[in-house]
Amino acid sequence: MAKAARKYLDAADREQQILEFAIDFVAQRGLRFTTRELADALGVSQPLLYRYFKNRDDLLQKIYDEVYLKRWDPGWNELLADRSLSIRERLVRYLTAYTEAILDERWIRIFIASALEDPQITKKYLGLLHETTFPLIFAEIAVEAGVPVPSGPQADELALEIVWGFHSSFFYMGVRKYIYRNKIPDDLDPIIRARVEVFVAGLVESMPHLGQFLPETEVGR
Amino acid sequence: MAKAARKYLDAADREQQILEFAIDFVAQRGLRFTTRELADALGVSQPLLYRYFKNRDDLLQKIYDEVYLKRWDPGWNELLADRSLSIRERLVRYLTAYTEAILDERWIRIFIASALEDPQITKKYLGLLHETTFPLIFAEIAVEAGVPVPSGPQADELALEIVWGFHSSFFYMGVRKYIYRNKIPDDLDPIIRARVEVFVAGLVESMPHLGQFLPETEVGR
DNA sequence: CACGGAAATTATCAAATGATAAATTATCAC
DNA sequence: GTGATAATTTATCATTTGATAATTTCCGTG
């Protein structure tokens, strides 16, 4: 309350306030915003932004850092590896946590907008999925299916693609909601459970025969 | 050759040339391009653009029309309904054609950029999928599974979500390639076949039990 | 080959924009 | 309360930008 009445904020508070506001603002308006639009919407003068941020790009960089950092929970991979739970249950819990983290207007819109502008910005985040989470999911389902994880570059690639397809469908719900502005169901739990069921059942069923989809090159090796 | 040497093109030719060039240009630079950048890159003067396009927004609108129109083949739905082929084969053929149509840098990047700017632009295209193609796919797999298509709003929604998840994974390959700039496999055929196999097998297997994922409300009705 | 009309460029504007410097106002310590 | 200090605003610039008007260049036709 004392803070709210003040006109002159402490530098640290003002910087944080601008940053938080800018995140929402940029999520709505996209990267074409002007510094004046932002300052007007926040109710401060435009040059004030330059007291806290070196320039427009510096502000954007801070926005990216703030949005992307601290959304990734390293505990997720441990959860996926915890064999005291069924693989279906692990996937449901992981995806529930994951969708909760990313189904956020600011996260989705800034993620896509920044990737469109410069793919480097999102590279680190995507690498985490691609190199750690996806192989783990595939391997755990292989255990469930009772077959050895297929090896070889072609088989690895196919496995990754299968998991990509599954996993991306959850991110894509965010795209549908916050970019296409489609309605998506309020309660995601049944959808997560149904998709997990379809995916695990299908992959357990077909994993023994996935080799048939590989090019011949690897067969004789 | 006669056309190539001319400095003063026919109005219709010049308009087409600018439009084609602008599509590539906007796909790369995004919507933040300036009219001068565009004109310079094409090698004409900036005011020339205003001879052919009323203003910047008019050019953008023409770009959207050109990119979105004529990419949708109405024959796709007929193909999906053709029971002389197995459902797996139909899906493989449909998805092969579909991915070929949309795995295009200009299409993907302009689609996402325009949706980010104004979701109205992509609404018609998405409606086609949501209202026609998706229910059809689900119904055909129900036939394959030998069960009646579940009915009721909750069941419809769940069915749509399941197909959304599957179908979007192909569009998402375009996002990965042209927005994230990730490498994706050159040969998509094995991936399409494997994903179709996993999906159909999983859905056939689990469709009889999908009711368990519905909220209780519908059970007693 | 000249001449008329269409196509294109040059010149130019007013508004918008990122950024800086100078002046002003609030807040705190004493 | 008063003055020092930090926070904020006002004033201002140089560029950039979308758009228009005036001028010039090309090209087919008689």
Side-chain angles (χ1 to χ4, degrees), chain A residues 8-9 11 14 45 47 51-52:
Chain A
Y8 284 27
L9 300 189
R14 180 69 86 185
S45 68
R51 181 175 180 83
Y52 297 101

Side-chain angles (χ1 to χ4, degrees), chain B residues 77-134:
Chain B
N77 285 334
E78 292 169 33
L79 167 63
L80 283 168
D82 174 12
R83 294 192 185 164
S84 72
L85 298 169
S86 74
I87 181 62
R88 287 172 172 79
E89 184 59 25
R90 277 178 270 162
L91 281 170
V92 166
R93 291 190 191 185
Y94 160 68
L95 287 167
T96 301
Y98 173 75
T99 53
E100 193 149 340
I102 65 157
L103 248 66
D104 173 273
E105 178 154 12
R106 301 171 304 171
W107 162 254
I108 293 276
R109 288 184 63 87
I110 290 179
F111 187 88
I112 292 287
S114 66
L116 209 45
E117 186 94 349
D118 175 7
Q120 211 58 32
I121 297 167
T122 57
K123 196 169 189 176
K124 202 173 116 193
Y125 164 80
L126 289 166
L128 232 46
L129 284 178
H130 196 264
E131 268 112 54
T132 309
T133 306
F134 291 177

Side-chain angles (χ1 to χ4, degrees), chain B residues 1 5 7 16 19 25 30-31 36 39 41 49 58-59 76 89 94 106 111 121 129 151 166 176-177 183 186 188 219:
Chain B
M1 204 218 75
K7 300 194 74 166
Q16 193 61 27
L19 191 55
F25 189 81
L31 296 176
R36 272 183 183 74
L49 303 179
D58 179 49
L59 171 60
W76 290 344
E89 184 59 25
Y94 160 68
R106 301 171 304 171
F111 187 88
I121 297 167
L129 284 178
S151 67
F166 171 62
R176 285 163 54 202
K177 180 169 184 180
K183 236 180 66 183
D186 297 320
L188 296 184
V219 173

Side-chain angles (χ1 to χ4, degrees), chain A residues 18-166:
Chain A
I18 294 175
L19 191 56
E20 290 289 340
F21 188 90
I23 287 172
D24 278 315
F25 189 80
V26 172
Q28 313 287 344
R29 315 274 286 232
L31 297 176
R32 299 179 65 193
F33 77 98
T34 71
T35 56
R36 272 183 184 75
E37 288 172 344
L38 171 60
D40 286 352
L42 178 54
V44 299
S45 68
Q46 178 250 0
L48 188 65
L49 303 179
Y50 288 84
R51 181 175 180 83
Y52 297 101
F53 304 95
K54 199 164 158 291
N55 51 41
R56 190 177 176 282
D57 277 345
D58 179 50
L59 171 60
L60 276 176
Q61 192 55 54
K62 298 243 166 70
I63 288 174
Y64 298 146
D65 289 347
E66 185 81 10
V67 170
Y68 297 148
L69 294 182
K70 297 168 187 170
R71 300 254 176 169
W72 187 262
D73 183 347
W76 290 343
N77 285 334
E78 291 169 33
L79 167 63
L80 284 169
D82 174 12
R83 294 193 184 162
S84 73
L85 298 169
S86 73
I87 181 61
R88 286 171 171 78
E89 183 60 25
R90 277 178 271 162
L91 281 171
V92 167
R93 292 191 191 184
Y94 161 68
L95 288 166
T96 301
Y98 173 76
T99 54
E100 193 148 342
I102 66 156
L103 248 66
D104 175 271
E105 178 155 12
R106 301 170 304 169
W107 162 253
I108 294 276
R109 289 184 62 86
I110 291 179
F111 188 86
I112 292 287
S114 66
L116 209 45
E117 186 94 350
D118 175 7
Q120 211 58 32
I121 297 167
T122 56
K123 195 168 188 176
K124 202 172 117 192
Y125 163 79
L126 289 166
L128 233 46
L129 285 178
H130 196 263
E131 267 112 55
T132 310
T133 306
F134 291 177
L136 180 56
I137 290 175
F138 194 86
E140 291 300 309
I141 296 180
V143 170
E144 176 77 9
V147 301
V149 181
S151 67
Q154 306 270 13
D156 284 351
E157 186 172 71
L158 185 62
L160 276 180
E161 286 301 318
I162 288 171
V163 183
W164 253 120
F166 170 63

